Amino acid sequence: MKTIRLTAAQAMVRYLANQMNEDGVPYIAGMWAIFGHGNVAGLGEALYGIREELPTYRGQNEQSMAHAAIAYAKQLGRRRAMAVTSSIGPGALNMVTAAALAHVNRLPVLFVPGDVFANRGPDPVLQQIEDFGDGTMSANDCFRPVSRYFDRIMRPEQLLTALPRAMRTLTDPADCGPVTLAFCQDVQAEAYDYPESFFASKTWRFRRPEPDVVEFEAAVAALKAAKNPVIVAGGGVHFSGATDTLKAFVEKHQIPVVETQAGKSALAWDHGLNFGPVGVTGAESANVVSETADLVIGVGTRFQDFTTGSWALFKNPDRKILALNVQAYDSAKHDAIPLVADAKIGLEKLSAALGDHTYAAPDAGLKASWFAKADAVTAAPKDSNSLPTDMQVIGAVQRASRDNTVVMCAAGTMPGELHQLWKAKLPLSYHMEYGFSCMGYEIAGGLGIKMAEPDRDVIVMVGDGSYMMMNSELATAVGMGVKITLVITDNRGYGCINRLQMGTGGAQFNNLYAHSNVSPIAIDFAAHAASMGARAHKVSSIAELETALDAARAATETTVIVIDTDPYPTTGAGGYWWDVAVPEVSARAEVNQARAAYAAALKERT
């Protein structure tokens, strides 16, 4: 057997560079890195030696550079991924939040944090935590609950099993999610005689599991017995590449579609059978159809509580749930009829089994009525003397967008309003991280999206709260020459959670600056963005915003546009109940009233 002598770090990066996807391109598109004493001598040197084959990207914060990597994979439908490395200690722990985000959203990313010395010679090494009762514990054990696969590399030859396991997890449609390979820093530098065959180019297929015969027969029987089914399209439709299949299926059988946050854009907004967003942040059209459905067909959805109205939405007393999902865990939720299979294969086989069977499509007037309401709240304001609403900002961005535009966000006011109001035309033109709803994902995520699809027009919608939490990858985008457009809506605090606080009877407290122990402050976000090299300016009206968006599209560099907004208005129409527990005891009448309404709503839950 021919061998090649390499350090463990050199072996890792060489192996990763030779793993291909079905399109014949490297599955790991690059590694984001912030070097420290736990990875600079080992992985840093190894990455330098392979920098032409496996690019290294430098971020400003470990969490945000991981967000960029995750957004990259999401935008490409999990067909490619990136790796992220940090030193031991705080650098590693900064990435745990990003690992949780990837875990919740079932997105592939490889974390390679530096770890303690396997030989324990210098214990405690700088930044090493010490567990008084467990000598095997390190800070990286925090990754365990938020990793689909976790391993600690304590000998160079362990890579021979750990790396294939990592790739298996990253490319598995059911188990896909974050992988953590905690890499002991002394081991990174140790040499070993690796088999040359270990580094041969390997292609990883994205398998498409076919349904079990018995499950499939039960699913077909449920479909044939149904009178008014509805399809809940989730993110799995995108990851399966099943958008065209979904379109053909619903057109053939005349089944209405409603969309989750992750599933939005699976079907064009103006398709006659797309009844819009569903659930807590949904449209009246989608929610009415879902309330009356006797068969709820989940396709690639994990039935998160925003989708189901905390399981109060599906009100038909005779309703059943059919869950087509590649992950058995999701397919068994809420006593569903399980159909464990790839979304594309599952829909194709169900369609063939149904033959010419069709259903009576819902009243198209439901959809027309909803979009009339949506158009009204997103229209440019007639009164220019008041602060614009977030909905009016969305309207301006919508009018300035093109079919190739990707609008993205993650937390705060915008996810709910965009889910309700945004008109997504093409698949993957709507990029929302609403599984973990992680403030700070937005700017780094926009960078990752643009790296994944350079020809797309990427517009990042971010509130002042999220911007303040994590904005440093704006400098990275500028430095890399990766053009994105940021629209910062400044409502002077956490406007979304302030409304939720008020809606549950609470007093306005500690969310908007005006109601906190921080004096109201006027942050010059345009000046801040400009200091990082972006084209930046503040606009004072929706008309000025539209002009600025047109200029941003024509520009060659990253643009930041700031606009003040009113923190209180919301769409009003649409939406659904969400289970947010209200205190049983309070000295405030408003809380007691909210509690009574909450108790009544609980009784209505199905």
Side-chain angles (χ1 to χ4, degrees):
M1 179 178 66
K2 291 185 177 181
T3 62
I4 180 171
R5 191 162 181 81
L6 298 169
T7 68
Q10 291 167 344
M12 173 181 280
V13 299
R14 180 175 294 200
Y15 177 90
L16 293 176
N18 285 307
Q19 308 308 299
M20 304 294 160
N21 71 9
E22 292 173 319
D23 299 324
V25 297
Y27 177 76
I28 299 295
M31 182 173 283
W32 288 88
I34 292 179
F35 294 133
H37 77 90
N39 66 345
V40 66
L43 273 170
E45 170 64 16
L47 286 165
Y48 176 81
I50 202 170
R51 61 194 182 280
E52 299 299 327
E53 299 98 315
L54 184 69
T56 297
Y57 302 104
R58 184 194 182 284
Q60 312 300 326
N61 178 286
E62 291 86 359
Q63 181 186 149
S64 55
M65 68 182 187
H67 287 167
I70 294 165
Y72 179 94
K74 178 179 173 70
Q75 190 60 30
L76 291 178
R78 306 196 303 197
R79 308 296 290 183
R80 301 186 76 187
M82 287 182 162
V84 191
T85 181
S86 74
S87 66
I88 183 179
L93 292 183
N94 280 349
M95 300 193 298
V96 173
T97 296
L101 184 154
H103 190 280
V104 168
N105 290 286
R106 289 75 186 289
L107 294 170
V109 59
L110 174 61
F111 292 101
V112 190
D115 211 316
V116 298
F117 276 67
N119 64 27
R120 303 190 185 180
D123 275 13
V125 70
L126 177 66
Q127 298 181 331
Q128 179 178 349
I129 66 167
E130 294 179 276
D131 188 300
F132 297 163
D134 188 346
T136 68
M137 191 75 68
S138 86
N140 288 328
D141 286 279
C142 294
F143 283 94
R144 288 182 183 273
V146 290
S147 297
R148 293 291 181 196
Y149 178 75
F150 177 92
D151 206 343
R152 178 171 281 115
I153 310 303
M154 302 183 71
R155 293 178 60 88
E157 61 267 36
Q158 288 174 348
L159 291 176
L160 295 171
T161 51
L163 285 171
R165 290 173 182 171
M167 284 299 303
R168 197 281 309 170
T169 303
L170 294 169
T171 59
D172 187 281
D175 292 344
C176 184
V179 170
T180 300
L181 299 181
F183 209 169
C184 290
Q185 53 192 287
D186 53 338
V187 177
Q188 292 179 36
E190 291 178 14
Y192 182 78
D193 294 318
Y194 290 93
E196 281 191 355
S197 58
F198 184 62
F199 305 106
S201 179
K202 180 174 180 177
T203 298
W204 292 83
R205 291 186 58 256
F206 303 98
R207 70 171 65 89
R208 293 186 178 276
E210 302 216 0
D212 171 79
V213 172
V214 174
E215 286 188 355
F216 183 74
E217 289 176 351
V220 172
L223 276 163
K224 288 183 175 179
K227 301 299 182 184
N228 55 328
V230 64
I231 290 176
V232 180
V237 176
H238 291 296
F239 298 147
S240 175
T243 54
D244 288 342
T245 306
L246 175 67
K247 180 174 180 287
F249 182 86
V250 302
E251 287 178 350
K252 179 178 179 182
H253 305 292
Q254 291 297 292
I255 302 177
V257 173
V258 298
E259 296 178 312
T260 70
Q261 283 277 18
K264 193 174 174 75
S265 79
L267 196 63
W269 75 273
D270 55 356
H271 190 284
L273 288 167
N274 185 348
F275 277 72
V278 68
V280 175
T281 56
E284 290 172 346
S285 51
N287 288 341
V288 167
V289 169
S290 299
E291 282 185 335
T292 57
D294 61 351
L295 182 65
V296 178
I297 308 165
V299 180
T301 177
R302 62 193 185 97
F303 286 117
Q304 189 245 19
D305 68 334
F306 259 66
T307 296
T308 66
S310 299
W311 290 106
L313 175 59
F314 309 122
K315 291 186 179 298
N316 189 325
D318 299 321
R319 71 104 174 97
K320 296 180 179 180
I321 296 172
L322 168 62
L324 168 56
N325 203 294
V326 74
Q327 173 53 255
Y329 181 91
D330 292 315
S331 193
K333 287 178 178 174
H334 217 66
D335 198 29
I337 300 167
L339 185 61
V340 180
D342 170 74
K344 186 175 188 296
I345 296 296
L347 287 173
E348 289 174 347
K349 287 186 172 294
L350 287 173
S351 186
L354 285 173
D356 295 328
H357 192 92
T358 61
Y359 303 87
D363 180 7
L366 288 171
K367 179 173 180 174
S369 174
W370 167 254
F371 279 106
K373 294 175 181 178
D375 290 343
V377 297
T378 56
K382 297 178 181 178
D383 177 12
S384 60
N385 295 321
S386 58
L387 284 174
T389 67
D390 292 294
M391 297 78 79
Q392 290 165 344
V393 171
I394 289 172
V397 175
Q398 182 86 70
R399 291 186 290 274
S401 69
R402 300 294 183 267
D403 284 352
N404 78 326
T405 296
V406 178
V407 65
M408 70 86 61
C409 190
T413 295
M414 280 298 171
E417 301 297 347
L418 285 167
H419 189 216
Q420 284 189 309
L421 303 173
W422 189 259
K423 299 173 178 177
K425 185 70 174 177
L426 298 178
L428 297 171
S429 62
Y430 180 85
H431 184 117
M432 187 64 62
E433 192 292 289
Y434 212 53
F436 208 49
S437 188
C438 185
M439 294 178 72
Y441 174 85
E442 294 91 346
I443 296 172
L447 170 60
I449 294 168
K450 188 69 172 182
M451 292 175 70
E453 294 194 298
D455 294 334
R456 298 293 285 263
D457 174 36
V458 179
I459 300 181
V460 177
M461 307 285 281
V462 60
D464 57 303
S466 270
Y467 182 89
M468 289 292 286
M469 278 197 178
M470 193 162 292
N471 54 59
S472 56
E473 300 308 341
L474 178 59
T476 305
V478 171
M480 291 176 63
V482 177
K483 177 198 168 183
I484 56 178
T485 299
L486 266 67
V487 178
I488 302 175
T489 52
D490 182 5
N491 60 22
R492 297 152 302 285
Y494 303 140
C496 175
I497 208 69
N498 185 66
R499 291 192 300 274
L500 179 60
Q501 188 175 50
M502 295 170 65
T504 53
Q508 296 187 71
F509 175 62
N510 204 48
N511 287 311
L512 299 183
Y513 287 124
H515 308 126
S516 72
N517 62 4
V518 176
S519 299
I521 52 180
I523 301 167
D524 191 338
F525 292 107
H528 185 269
S531 74
M532 289 190 279
R535 291 176 70 252
H537 48 280
K538 185 170 185 176
V539 298
S540 60
S541 68
I542 294 297
E544 288 184 13
L545 174 60
E546 295 196 42
T547 300
L549 286 166
D550 287 339
R553 188 173 59 252
T556 58
E557 63 267 49
T558 287
T559 299
V560 175
I561 308 168
V562 184
I563 184 168
D564 289 341
T565 58
D566 188 331
Y568 294 105
T570 59
T571 296
Y576 214 79
W577 181 72
W578 184 34
D579 191 343
V580 179
V582 180
E584 287 192 65
V585 178
S586 174
R588 301 185 71 253
E590 296 90 339
V591 175
N592 294 328
Q593 292 169 5
R595 175 68 195 189
Y598 173 70
L602 283 177
K603 293 180 179 179
E604 295 296 319
R605 178 188 285 180
T606 56

